[in-house]
Amino acid sequence: MYKYLFLLLLIALMPACKKHNQNGCPAKACTYVFASISVNFVDKDGKPVPAKDVKAINKRTGKQIIASSNGPAVPGVGPNIFTIATDNNKNEFSADGDDVELTATNATTNQTKITLFKISGGCNCHIDKVSGPEKIVLE
């Protein structure tokens, strides 16, 4: 009799032992650090260049990631730093990492360049750049 009562109590308490959060991810301790992934556009000499028509596409989902300019304005040139992803949109990426294609055009020369990144997110604590450059040379 006590075995059945104990089993019934154990089954009743199982939902209270949450092993996953509301996103279906395993519970884990994470820091309060806010992570972001940005890229700088430079010329062959490493000097900032203005970029336009910056577009990032998650190759797994086919959806565009909104890349935004967040850099300081360079006198006479304009901003050249773009944020590709932050912890705010980490759920758009898989935990193992997704391939991301970033296309940007030099605003002065109109040269377009495509660069590949791999970005992980999902159930990880923070967004992370698995691979890809920090600076993109636009000539």
Side-chain angles (χ1 to χ4, degrees):
M1 174 72 174
Y2 289 111
K3 290 180 185 177
Y4 294 115
L5 187 57
F6 178 72
L7 184 61
L8 184 61
L9 181 63
L10 185 63
I11 291 171
L13 291 177
M14 283 179 111
C17 299
K18 288 188 100 175
K19 293 184 179 180
H20 294 84
N21 64 20
Q22 67 270 18
N23 295 332
C25 297
K28 62 175 122 178
C30 295
T31 64
Y32 286 108
V33 172
F34 185 80
S36 66
I37 299 169
S38 297
V39 63
N40 292 325
F41 296 104
V42 297
D43 64 13
K44 63 183 177 185
D45 297 323
K47 295 178 182 166
V49 297
K52 66 178 184 178
D53 303 328
V54 179
K55 186 180 352 179
I57 303 289
N58 184 325
K59 301 300 276 180
R60 178 180 58 88
T61 64
K63 292 183 179 179
Q64 182 173 348
I65 303 161
I66 304 302
S68 63
S69 171
N70 68 342
V74 177
V77 179
N80 71 314
I81 301 172
F82 284 77
T83 299
I84 302 168
T86 70
D87 280 347
N88 284 339
N89 67 330
K90 76 178 181 84
N91 291 331
E92 295 178 25
F93 303 95
S94 68
D96 294 330
D98 293 339
D99 292 325
V100 174
E101 182 180 274
L102 184 118
T103 306
T105 301
N106 183 319
T108 306
T109 65
N110 286 323
Q111 179 228 12
T112 299
K113 185 161 188 178
I114 297 172
T115 307
L116 297 177
F117 292 85
K118 187 162 192 162
I119 298 173
S120 66
C123 287
N124 295 325
C125 287
H126 302 287
I127 199 89
D128 186 41
K129 180 174 66 171
V130 178
S131 65
E134 291 182 24
K135 293 182 179 182
I136 297 176
V137 177
L138 289 177
E139 295 182 31

